[in-house]
Amino acid sequence: MKHLFVTIFLLLAGFTALSAQEPLTPEQKEKQTREWIEKQTEKLSAVLDLEYWQEFYVDSILTANIGGLQAEVEELQAAKVSNPDIYQEISDRWNEATYNAYQKVFNEDQWKKWLKNGGAKEKKARDKRAAKKN
């Protein structure tokens, strides 16, 4: 399984690149985001053997956090902010929120499996960036 957090960051970079080539309508952006969330939820469900209620929460978590991330990124882009560190900080903050939310939804075995499949590595990288910043 690919690292979820890297995927989210790359997704936003992809949205930015696509909109630079051919502007997407808000409906197209929403459709792309919705499809990506559905695919990620399906992947997590398959890997972690999620129950139906857990799939609902994963979908809700991704919808809320990706929406928040996109809103902040769009705000920075509108302000013509080009510092990649700021974008990384925002991504890290939203990825940390996803990490914390998943920890509440997954059972112990699912959590351990998720951590082994990249969650722990991404958390360590976020913590390292945060420590370097302070």
Side-chain angles (χ1 to χ4, degrees):
M1 178 172 85
K2 295 194 183 229
H3 304 289
L4 178 63
F5 302 121
V6 172
T7 306
I8 291 172
F9 187 74
L10 293 175
L11 172 72
L12 289 173
F15 284 151
T16 303
L18 283 175
S19 44
Q21 294 172 0
E22 181 179 315
L24 295 176
T25 65
E27 293 80 18
Q28 289 171 321
K29 283 183 183 181
E30 176 65 30
K31 183 181 177 189
Q32 268 187 341
T33 302
R34 185 76 247 148
E35 289 171 355
W36 184 86
I37 290 169
E38 288 172 6
K39 286 179 185 176
Q40 291 305 311
T41 301
E42 289 171 9
K43 285 179 185 178
L44 282 173
S45 184
V47 170
L48 303 177
D49 194 28
L50 298 179
E51 294 183 32
Y52 180 76
W53 67 269
Q54 289 173 307
E55 288 181 16
F56 172 80
Y57 279 109
V58 166
D59 183 274
S60 298
I61 290 164
L62 290 175
T63 299
N65 291 352
I66 290 174
L69 177 60
Q70 284 178 327
E72 284 194 52
V73 167
E74 288 171 3
E75 188 177 303
L76 289 176
Q77 288 172 338
K80 307 275 191 232
V81 174
S82 61
N83 184 342
D85 292 337
I86 294 173
Y87 288 92
Q88 184 65 59
E89 287 176 30
I90 291 170
S91 177
D92 283 350
R93 187 167 21 89
W94 284 103
N95 288 331
E96 186 69 20
T98 301
Y99 175 93
N100 292 330
Y102 281 174
Q103 192 171 17
K104 295 174 185 173
V105 172
F106 298 158
N107 65 36
E108 188 176 330
D109 291 335
Q110 292 167 331
W111 181 247
K112 287 178 184 176
K113 192 170 187 177
W114 184 79
L115 289 173
K116 286 180 184 177
N117 280 304
K121 184 177 180 180
E122 293 301 318
K123 171 70 170 154
K124 185 176 178 180
R126 279 194 314 280
D127 290 347
K128 186 176 179 180
R129 284 190 295 271
K132 193 183 279 189
K133 181 183 154 194
N134 295 329

